[in-house]
Amino acid sequence: MSLNINPRARALEQPGIRQFSNQLVNFPNAINLTIGQPDFPTPQAVKDAGINAIQNNLTGYSHNAGLIELREAVNNFFTDKYGFSYNPAKEIVITNGASEAIDTVFRTILEEGDEVILPAPIYSGYEPVIKFCGAKIIYLDTTNTGLQPSADALEKLITDKTKAILFNNPSNPTGMVIEKNVMDDLVEMLKDKEVYIVSDEIYSENTFLGEHVSFASYPVLREKLFYIHGVSKSHSMTGWRIGFILGPEKIMEHVLKVHLYNSICASLPSQYGALEALTNSKDIPSAMNVEYVTRRDYVYNRLLEMGLPVIKPNGAFYIFPSIEAFGIKSFDFATKLLHEGGVAVVPGSTFTPYGEGYIRISYAYSMAVLEEGLNRLERFIEKL
């Protein structure tokens, strides 16, 4: 056939996270520490809300922006917890997970030749979406600033081609939370810059130390900020696929058009489940966090005992130890660990070139799984 496909689609590669998790079919006895998916069941009340929606034939389309009562619940949740407010009728769109929210925002704002700055290391799902829009990635290296984005370093990267800056806070893959003084410096620098800010705070409810500080709580950023969130991580609802975008009215009308032509609306039973999650099940994340902290502390201490340098994370459920001392590329290290040690982790190079020299371990697994996985990791390291 002479028909061609979009070369940008051809250039897409399977993310490193899936490259390793998908290999597990060939290693049935391996311990999987790759996926960032809570091992807790979806709360029963949330499941009941979805079931009731199906049984009552609430299975059709909703408004393209989502159920108004869900949009109101989204606003009330963030107003009550973080003190910022958006108009549910015109400034909130319910999406098919935070991934669709990110894709929708970038397809709304990006043009050919634009630049997007990403603090690195960072989640591997952003870059392909940005490149598919014809934009260029500019990395902000955080490895020399304690994995915190430096305002001074960021300002030096901003040019007349910069269209947007994306922050992921807390961070996947590092688990780091942007400190309040660092965020204040970033906001002070960004307030007069003509760039969009996309803040993916999907892990905000998995903040372990102190209060999560949101970019959306700074009024000076309001007219150029897109706030991305969802219930996948907070309420163990990854497969329900409910995310949301909050943003300024004058831009959200265009975001809504891009969203509706992509997917019409989010699944209606899932929306009713999310409504329950944000109203009557608001305390679920805190209960999960008690267990996450126990797991994090165990993994952190074990890694230090093995001699792996690592910064203690205060959010999400990932930890990012350095393997640089072994002189092995992270992809090779992870491959060797899987084949010879029986443990699957994610190579740091998956998270931009600035992740080279690290591996990502997810502790969204039971203590029994973590104990066995780290025992195997320790034995593997002893043989290197």
Side-chain angles (χ1 to χ4, degrees), residues 18-29:
R18 297 297 172 180
Q19 287 182 33
F20 278 85
S21 64
N22 291 346
Q23 285 188 58
L24 289 170
V25 68
N26 300 316
F27 298 89
N29 296 317

Side-chain angles (χ1 to χ4, degrees), residues 18-335:
R18 297 297 172 180
Q19 287 182 33
F20 278 85
S21 64
N22 291 346
Q23 285 188 58
L24 289 170
V25 68
N26 300 316
F27 298 89
N29 296 317
I31 297 295
N32 182 11
L33 302 180
T34 65
I35 301 298
Q37 174 168 266
D39 68 331
F40 302 98
T42 299
Q44 188 60 49
V46 174
K47 291 190 285 188
D48 289 342
I51 291 168
N52 290 337
I54 294 170
Q55 290 179 333
N56 288 303
N57 296 316
L58 298 172
T59 56
Y61 295 132
S62 72
H63 187 288
N64 297 126
L67 292 167
I68 185 61
E69 53 263 55
L70 176 54
R71 285 179 275 152
E72 289 171 346
V74 168
N75 178 64
N76 292 340
F77 182 85
F78 292 115
T79 299
D80 293 344
K81 188 148 192 186
Y82 301 117
F84 58 82
S85 180
Y86 284 78
N87 182 345
K90 298 181 177 181
E91 295 185 316
I92 299 176
V93 173
I94 308 301
T95 60
N96 291 280
S99 294
E100 194 233 320
I102 292 162
D103 177 70
T104 297
V105 166
F106 281 133
R107 287 196 294 125
T108 301
I109 65 174
L110 292 181
E111 301 173 84
E112 195 81 24
D114 284 342
E115 294 181 351
V116 179
I117 299 174
L118 300 181
I122 199 167
Y123 172 59
S124 57
Y126 303 127
E127 184 173 335
V129 173
I130 294 167
K131 288 183 175 179
F132 210 82
C133 294
K136 179 182 179 182
I137 307 292
I138 303 295
Y139 295 121
L140 169 65
D141 181 7
T142 68
T143 58
N144 296 317
T145 53
L147 302 177
Q148 296 280 329
S150 161
D152 290 340
L154 175 59
E155 186 169 25
K156 293 174 183 176
L157 297 178
I158 297 174
T159 70
D160 57 0
K161 292 184 179 181
T162 306
K163 177 61 73 70
I165 302 165
L166 184 145
F167 295 99
N168 178 211
N169 181 39
S171 165
N172 175 7
T174 67
M176 299 303 293
V177 176
I178 299 178
E179 297 168 1
K180 176 66 164 57
N181 63 313
V182 173
M183 187 170 287
D184 287 344
D185 290 343
L186 289 167
V187 172
E188 179 64 25
M189 184 273 291
L190 290 170
K191 67 180 183 180
D192 296 321
K193 303 292 185 184
E194 292 190 3
V195 296
Y196 289 115
I197 298 161
V198 181
S199 186
D200 179 358
E201 300 183 25
I202 189 73
Y203 293 102
S204 70
E205 305 315 293
N206 303 115
T207 300
F208 308 139
L209 181 65
E211 293 291 326
H212 172 78
V213 181
S214 171
F215 279 101
S217 65
Y218 291 84
V220 292
L221 301 181
R222 172 75 183 225
E223 295 307 308
K224 55 188 177 184
L225 175 74
F226 294 100
Y227 180 78
I228 308 293
H229 216 290
V231 291
S232 289
K233 312 298 184 179
S234 62
H235 288 79
S236 195
M237 294 175 65
T238 52
W240 294 68
R241 308 313 302 135
I242 293 293
F244 13 92
I245 309 167
L246 290 72
E249 179 181 341
K250 65 180 181 180
I251 308 173
M252 288 301 288
E253 63 176 298
H254 304 296
V255 169
L256 178 58
K257 290 182 291 185
V258 175
H259 160 70
L260 75 88
Y261 283 120
N262 182 20
S263 60
I264 307 297
C265 66
S267 161
L268 195 54
S270 293
Q271 289 193 58
Y272 280 106
L275 178 60
E276 165 63 30
L278 295 179
T279 52
N280 300 316
S281 301
K282 291 188 289 187
D283 295 332
I284 292 297
S286 297
M288 292 181 183
N289 285 346
V290 173
E291 180 62 23
Y292 285 140
V293 168
T294 299
R295 298 175 185 181
R296 177 204 61 180
D297 290 349
Y298 172 76
V299 174
Y300 173 73
N301 289 326
R302 285 294 306 274
L303 292 172
L304 289 182
E305 290 168 2
M306 295 179 207
L308 297 181
V310 62
I311 299 176
K312 190 173 188 178
N314 283 321
F317 28 70
Y318 309 107
I319 194 163
F320 206 56
S322 171
I323 56 159
E324 197 169 17
F326 299 105
I328 304 173
K329 293 290 186 181
S330 61
F331 191 92
D332 296 335
F333 181 97
T335 300

Side-chain angles (χ1 to χ4, degrees), residues 345-363:
V345 298
V346 184
S349 57
T350 293
F351 308 102
T352 78
Y354 293 97
E356 184 55 76
Y358 298 85
I359 57 172
R360 190 193 78 173
I361 295 172
S362 169
Y363 52 88

